[in-house]
Amino acid sequence: MTDHVHDLRSVREATDRLLTAVAKLDNASLAAESHLPGWSRGHILAHLARNADALVNVFEGRPMYESAGARDADIARDAGRSLEEHLTDLGDSGARFLAATERDQDWSRTVELRNGVTDLAANVPFRRLVEVELHHVDLDIGYGLRDLPAEFTAREIAFLADRWSGRPEVPPVTLRAPSGTLWHTGGTEGAPVVLEGPEDELLGWLAGRGPRGAGLTVAAGDGLPALPPL
């Protein structure tokens, strides 16, 4: 079973890294484009704050978001705020999330996330960690895929490989890291593909971050497969 205590410690550390990095920005830089098409850095920070509150809803048995429209409207509303406002909101919403995890609860229970997705409560802290770490990369402020903790990268590769498993539009793919570690993903139709490269590049391809597959070698197969949007 997932060690939620360990993951919550990682969330605290990742949030501290994020807050320290964001505090070095200024108001003008928040309006600049991020790595996510159509989103400024302010949009990402607003999303991270609202995601923390949404996960509190999950722990307390409420819908994660009121609706998809309300989620998007909240992000748009908060994106243009000042640096000071973003920092306060990120810190306060992160503290609310951690406070919700400190209450007595059944970590083995099933909770409902967005779009009918369900998961064990014990896995929610890692989901929050994914949000904080990958969106820190998306901010384009000097924190890249190579800077992610190695343990996180390996776990997220495994998570995303599982997510793409069984998808008929993705051929069978084997991912091979320099260490020899293998992950398998994709469906059963089409010619098998073997991708080799550093773990940060493998993660970038799976998560749709950066030039997709730029640092990977197609060791077998007809080329780099295209993945659907996450």
Side-chain angles (χ1 to χ4, degrees):
M1 187 173 177
T2 300
D3 184 352
H4 65 275
V5 175
H6 170 79
D7 288 344
L8 287 168
R9 184 164 56 248
S10 296
V11 169
R12 291 185 182 92
E13 293 168 355
T15 302
D16 286 345
R17 282 194 298 272
L18 175 68
L19 288 169
T20 298
V22 171
K24 297 176 183 178
L25 303 178
D26 55 32
N27 290 329
S29 64
L30 293 182
E33 291 185 4
S34 71
H35 281 317
L36 294 182
W39 270 18
S40 68
R41 290 175 177 138
H43 282 89
I44 290 177
L45 298 181
H47 163 62
L48 281 170
R50 301 290 68 78
N51 172 262
D53 285 337
L55 292 177
V56 172
N57 290 336
V58 168
F59 277 120
E60 296 182 351
R62 296 186 296 272
M64 186 169 177
Y65 294 100
E66 181 181 336
S67 67
R71 170 187 176 274
D72 294 344
D74 286 347
I75 293 171
R77 178 197 65 208
D78 296 341
R81 297 178 305 179
S82 69
L83 175 63
E84 182 178 357
E85 290 172 311
H86 275 298
L87 286 171
T88 298
D89 194 17
L90 278 171
D92 290 350
S93 59
R96 288 192 292 271
F97 169 76
L98 291 174
T101 68
E102 292 169 356
R103 301 174 191 132
D104 290 337
Q105 58 192 291
D106 176 10
W107 286 97
S108 66
R109 76 188 188 280
T110 298
V111 295
E112 184 170 348
L113 302 167
R114 287 185 69 198
N115 302 322
V117 174
T118 60
D119 204 348
L120 297 180
N123 292 333
V124 173
F126 183 70
R127 287 179 175 271
R128 175 60 181 174
L129 180 61
V130 170
E131 294 287 330
V132 175
E133 288 285 29
L134 289 188
H135 285 317
H136 191 166
V137 172
D138 293 333
L139 285 170
D140 189 21
I141 55 175
Y143 188 76
L145 292 170
R146 292 183 181 181
D147 300 309
L148 294 168
E151 179 198 15
F152 169 82
T153 297
R155 286 181 65 188
E156 181 63 356
I157 290 174
F159 176 83
L160 291 174
D162 181 69
R163 180 167 181 169
W164 296 125
S165 291
R167 296 288 291 267
E169 68 271 42
V170 181
V173 179
T174 296
L175 307 172
R176 181 184 294 133
S179 64
T181 302
L182 300 176
W183 297 269
H184 302 282
T185 191
T188 59
E189 301 295 324
V193 176
V194 177
L195 299 180
E196 297 179 341
E199 291 190 8
D200 62 289
E201 294 285 350
L202 294 171
L203 174 57
W205 176 71
L206 286 166
R209 260 66 180 185
R212 299 188 76 165
L216 300 179
T217 299
V218 181
D222 298 329
L224 188 71
L227 293 177
L230 278 173

